[in-house]
Amino acid sequence: MNLDFTPEDLAFREDVRAFLKASLPDDLRAKMINRDHLGKADIVRWQRILNARGWAVPAWPVDDGGQPWSPTQRYIFQEEMALAHAPEGSPFNVNMIGPILCKFGTDAQKAKFLAATANIDIWWCQGFSEPGAGSDLAALKTSAVRDGDDYVLNGQKIWTTQAQHADWMFALVRTDASGRKQQGITFLLLDMKTPGITIRPIPSIDGISDLNEVFFDDVRVPVGNRIGEEGRGWDYAKHLLGHERSGIARIGLSKERLAQLRHLEGELGGSGRIDERERARLRRKLAEVEVELRALELTQLRVVAADAQGGGANSAASILKVKGTELQQRMTELVAELAGPAGIATPSHDATDHGDHGWEAAATPYYFTMRKVSIFGGSNEIQKNIIAKTILRL
Ligand SMILES: Cc1cc2nc3c(=O)[nH]c(=O)nc-3n(C[C@H](O)[C@H](O)[C@H](O)COP(=O)(O)OP(=O)(O)OC[C@H]3O[C@@H](n4cnc5c(N)ncnc54)[C@H](O)[C@@H]3O)c2cc1C
């Protein structure tokens, strides 16, 4: 298997680099470097810049607004975005509902949603998980009962990221409870302004309220908003989750974080804030992370090369998700270690203090919030079950 980049790939990399250098606004780049929270306006602004270049949804089919890039070029694009400190677009729009609409949507649904989804004129949220139906997603209970040309929904979703911003939700609901739990699930598109929808925020440990509970009380959804056939929602959801996990290893992001860690270690050592013994200990840890990251990158490149030659391994996404998220978390531990006590200092109550506490103050909230990456998109334990079944055949 050839893992080298072709001259065309290298020229493509230069194109992407030049575009990012010219087009990424400085304030967004600074927010990414400082690990500041990106608001809706930031994400929308950047996705529209990408969309104007035709690069907001490169993995979609060309006829639906995508790019005719090879898997290798898609990998290069993702890596360059991360290395340039560019924000990611909305995963719900780009990686989840977009590909589902392209593959299973009717012409009317594509006409209504695709362009608006690429440009984030519509902000989507994902209504899959419920209390008691996370890892065991097929246990979901929100009911949708057919009444004329509508379904009438009752039930609850939970952990719905950014539902507070959402114009539309893509949701799994139960239209039949009589057979196997994977049967009788239907995939619906819901306008979040429909009467009967209540959103309740769940505060998270980093102080940001991006998670929500969403309640449905006799919510009417036109049958025309159903994806595909009634009762086949589980098949469409599996397709969507495959897309959700691809790219979840975020190797470019980890490379950028590692470079930042090395830079911080140099600065702290140079200023005498950490002594030589401590520096040697930190450098050894950074070297260990680098070795693992390089190994993961090679695995990712092997998957990309196999994909380009038409045969990807079906458990590869699970392997990349587990290892990639472990490394992302490891790096947040190292940032917290470098920050030391400054990372847990409480902000001052001085009225002249305008809240710029630098990277140290961001280190602890970032450490906490990144615990989530091994849970969402299917927890790492569930990914290990998939690996055990598909590779080890346990
Ligand atoms: C930050 C964040 C954002 C999210 N955003 C969304 C969203 O926008 N939309 C949405 O629908 N959902 C979202 N989720 C929900 C996410 O998909 C679920 O949290 C996840 O699937 C786990 O489900 P659960 O929370 O019900 O935990 P559970 O399924 O109850 O699992 C609890 C623990 O048991 C382990 N476990 C469960 N079953 C097994 C098993 N068979 N073998 C081994 N271990 C097992 C799990 O790994 C976990 O550690 C989000 C979650 C988080 C943390």
Side-chain angles (χ1 to χ4, degrees):
M1 188 177 296
N2 184 6
L3 299 180
D4 287 340
F5 293 118
T6 64
E8 293 75 29
D9 290 338
L10 296 174
F12 173 78
R13 190 189 283 281
E14 287 312 313
D15 258 12
V16 175
R17 266 186 199 166
F19 165 76
L20 290 170
K21 192 158 183 263
S23 310
L24 177 60
D26 287 342
D27 59 321
L28 289 188
R29 185 168 175 273
K31 277 190 169 184
M32 290 291 289
I33 291 173
N34 294 331
R35 301 184 181 84
D36 290 341
H37 178 64
L38 261 60
K40 178 178 180 179
D42 296 322
I43 294 168
V44 169
R45 176 154 65 118
W46 177 234
Q47 189 156 324
R48 288 187 182 159
I49 292 172
L50 284 176
N51 202 33
R53 179 69 178 80
W55 288 358
V57 289
W60 293 9
V62 175
D63 288 347
D64 293 323
Q67 288 291 331
W69 294 348
S70 64
T72 312
Q73 289 173 327
R74 287 210 286 271
Y75 172 78
I76 290 172
F77 179 69
Q78 269 189 359
E79 183 176 44
E80 288 303 322
M81 288 264 286
L83 293 175
H85 311 280
E88 291 167 5
S90 156
F92 304 108
N93 285 40
V94 176
N95 304 331
M96 297 189 213
I97 191 60
I100 291 294
L101 285 163
C102 293
K103 193 163 172 74
F104 303 108
T106 61
D107 288 344
Q109 288 169 342
K110 286 184 175 190
K112 180 169 176 179
F113 293 120
L114 274 186
T117 297
N119 203 43
I120 315 206
D121 299 332
I122 295 174
W123 182 286
W124 289 92
C125 66
Q126 178 187 29
F128 280 19
S129 306
E130 298 182 3
S135 302
D136 186 11
L137 183 56
L140 64 92
K141 289 197 173 69
T142 292
S143 71
V145 177
R146 183 83 183 250
D147 180 25
D149 288 338
D150 291 338
Y151 289 104
V152 180
L153 268 58
N154 282 286
Q156 182 199 343
K157 297 291 170 184
I158 195 166
W159 311 122
T160 321
T161 303
Q162 294 167 347
Q164 77 274 24
H165 297 317
D167 305 300
W168 283 76
M169 170 190 279
F170 52 91
L172 295 178
V173 295
R174 185 156 300 284
T175 39
D176 182 358
S178 62
R180 277 177 64 231
K181 61 184 177 184
Q182 286 80 2
Q183 291 164 346
I185 293 176
T186 296
F187 196 122
L188 292 182
L189 311 177
L190 276 76
D191 184 338
M192 293 296 278
K193 289 187 294 301
T194 316
I197 298 181
T198 307
I199 300 173
R200 199 159 71 192
I202 308 172
S204 49
I205 198 164
D206 56 1
I208 293 162
S209 285
D210 256 357
L211 296 169
N212 301 275
E213 292 176 285
V214 181
F215 299 88
F216 306 110
D217 189 9
D218 286 335
V219 174
R220 298 192 80 88
V221 179
V223 171
N225 289 356
R226 187 182 71 211
I227 292 286
E229 294 171 37
E230 183 174 300
R232 286 204 50 212
W234 189 247
D235 296 336
Y236 312 132
K238 278 197 296 190
H239 187 83
L240 181 146
L241 292 172
H243 279 275
E244 184 179 355
R245 276 169 213 148
S246 66
I248 214 159
R250 299 165 98 201
I251 291 166
L253 182 83
S254 289
K255 278 181 164 180
E256 177 270 315
R257 293 294 186 231
L258 183 62
Q260 217 176 353
L261 275 165
R262 287 202 182 287
H263 175 76
L264 287 174
E265 185 275 323
E267 265 195 348
L268 295 180
S271 67
R273 216 172 105 181
I274 49 176
D275 62 24
E276 280 309 314
R277 234 178 84 197
E278 179 66 0
R279 286 192 81 175
R281 198 182 62 81
L282 281 165
R283 281 191 192 144
R284 199 186 60 241
K285 287 190 177 180
L286 291 175
E288 282 165 9
V289 170
E290 181 160 4
V291 168
E292 292 213 27
L293 188 55
R294 284 201 185 172
L296 182 66
E297 187 179 20
L298 274 178
T299 306
Q300 169 100 62
L301 286 171
R302 284 211 310 268
V303 172
V304 169
D307 243 17
Q309 286 151 27
N314 57 6
S315 53
S318 297
I319 296 172
L320 292 170
K321 201 237 156 179
V322 171
K323 204 65 208 168
T325 52
E326 282 175 359
L327 279 173
Q328 288 163 44
Q329 291 181 337
R330 183 86 190 91
M331 244 144 343
T332 66
E333 287 160 26
L334 287 170
V335 179
E337 238 181 90
L338 277 171
I344 48 170
T346 43
S348 106
H349 296 291
D350 178 351
T352 59
D353 179 348
H354 299 298
D356 180 14
H357 303 287
W359 64 271
E360 288 104 326
T364 308
Y366 189 62
Y367 166 83
F368 282 132
T369 194
M370 288 297 279
R371 300 306 99 190
K372 68 190 175 190
V373 296
S374 50
I375 302 173
F376 63 49
S379 74
N380 282 15
E381 289 76 19
I382 295 298
Q383 303 312 315
K384 286 177 185 170
N385 286 348
I386 295 172
I387 294 165
K389 277 192 201 132
T390 52
I391 297 189
L392 306 174
R393 306 214 181 279
L394 295 176

